[in-house]
Every structure is written in structure tokens, then in C-alpha cells.
Amino acid sequence: MATQEFYIRNESETEARGPFNQEQLSSLADTGQLTDETFVYNEASEDWVVIGTNLELKAPLFPEKKKLQIRAQVEEETADRAKTDSRPPVTVDEMLAAAEGRTADTKDRLDPQIAMGRAAAIGAWSVFIMLILSSAAEIAPSIDFVTKFQVEKLLEHPLVILGALDLFLAVIVGLGMLSAYPVIRFRAALGLGFLGFIFFTQGLSMPFLAVVAGSAGLYVCTVTVSIPIVLISSLVGIAGMLGVVYHMILGGS
């Protein structure tokens, strides 16, 4: 069987070199005189083709390069495994935290649901305190009529009725029945309109501002679940209700 002969040339060359046999081409490849971009004459197609596109010819000419690629890949995989193995073992607490959605990036952040629950609890306690203060301010000036249950006198002091409503709502909130919040919001608007009108028409600016602050704080605490907002509303509302208590019981003196 006749030995196959090859003619080669580079892209910039106009004249071919050869003929070469398979062994000679391998020698040229080893010395760098032949690359996978070198052109070889294809007798079947009677055309010049790049050696890199002829897999049958390329494989025996550049076996060492293939080995190097495999070796580099193996070394890279080994390095990746070494990095993975160097990581500290996962603890049970970390597994539980991951199951709850708390990772290393989020462990210092407060869970939104927990934050909303805390805000709701703060708001409920603040509403309870504000209602107690409000009922005290409204009932205390007429306490004699209340204890003696003088109905005709009580009718002359409608604030007692509002105070009784506040006391009732405070008990409801204290029992955790937050479904009464819509009624409490109506009560906040009613108190602002009723007491605010009385103080405004009498020219009592400080009690008027206290009623505005107390009613606004009471209202906002029933609608927000944001901790910063509920804290501010609680402070403003309680301060306002204390101002109303001061004016109604102590007479502002």
C-alpha cells in the first residue's frame, strides 16, 4: 500500500512544500513549523484545507496538546474540589436558618413578619394606654355624678358617655380583640371633632393641640404595622392624651 503524501503551505505562502509523509508532518509539528492553521492539500476535494478542520489528520499530529488540555482540566477540577473541601462544615443551626430563609447575608436583618408582629403589639399597647388616659380625662371631672349614678346630671356631661366608651374599648383591646380597631378609628375622629371643637371655640390652644395629637396617635396606631411609625405615633398620641388629662383633671394649673 502506497504511503500517503502531503503538500503543505502557510496562508501567506504561494508555493507548496512537500511531499511529506505522516511521520515527517509529525516532526514538523513537533518543531513548530506546522500548526493547525497550516494548509494541506486535500486530494479528494482537490483543494487546500486547514489542518485544524481535518480531524483525521489533526489528531495524530497534535496529540500532546490534547493531553495538556485534559491535564489542565483535571488540575482545575482538583483545585475546585480543594476549595470546596476547605470550607467549614455546615452546622445544624445553619441548616435550620437556611430552611427558615435566614442566611449569612440576612441573619442580622429582622424578618418582615416578625417586625410587623412587633409593630402591631406596640400599637395595641399604645392604643390601650391612650384609651385609658382618655377615659380618665373624660370621666374624672364628673366622678361624683358617676358614683352616685345621677342620670340627669350625667346627661348634662356627655363626656362621661365618651369616657365610658373609651374604657370599654380599652378593655376590648386589652383582651386582644383587635377587630375593634375600626370602631376605635371612628372614636378617634369623633373625639377630635367633639373635644377639638370645644377647646377651639373656647380659645384653648394647648388642650386643642393635645386632642389633635392624641386623636392622631390613636388613629395611626390602629392602621400601621411599621415599627418606626408606630413608635412615633405612640409617643405623640400618649403625650397628647396626657395633655388632655392634665387640662381636664388638673385644670391646666
Side-chain angles (χ1 to χ4, degrees), residues 26-151:
S26 297
S27 299
L28 291 174
D30 292 339
T31 58
Q33 300 180 52
L34 181 71
T35 68
D36 58 356
E37 296 180 356
T38 302
F39 285 83
V40 62
Y41 186 77
N42 189 331
E43 295 180 351
S45 62
E46 297 183 352
D47 194 9
W48 292 92
V49 296
V50 178
I51 292 179
T53 62
N54 190 330
L55 299 180
E56 183 178 356
L57 181 59
K58 179 183 176 181
L61 292 178
F62 304 99
E64 191 63 29
K65 186 174 183 180
K66 185 176 181 181
K67 292 180 181 179
L68 290 175
Q69 289 177 343
I70 295 175
R71 182 177 179 182
Q73 183 178 359
V74 171
E75 290 177 351
E76 183 178 352
E77 292 175 353
T78 303
D80 291 340
R81 283 197 298 269
K83 291 179 181 178
T84 303
D85 295 341
S86 63
R87 297 174 184 173
V90 179
T91 64
V92 175
D93 291 338
E94 290 174 340
M95 293 175 63
L96 293 175
E100 296 174 359
R102 294 182 290 109
T103 63
D105 297 330
T106 61
K107 65 180 181 180
D108 295 328
R109 301 177 187 174
L110 187 61
D111 184 271
Q113 295 297 328
I114 297 176
M116 291 171 62
R118 291 181 181 177
I122 295 172
W125 277 106
S126 300
V127 167
F128 175 79
I129 294 172
M130 284 185 274
L131 288 173
I132 291 294
L133 291 174
S134 178
S135 64
E138 293 156 349
I139 295 176
S142 306
I143 191 65
D144 291 338
F145 306 135
V146 174
T147 55
K148 296 177 182 179
F149 200 69
Q150 298 177 353
V151 178

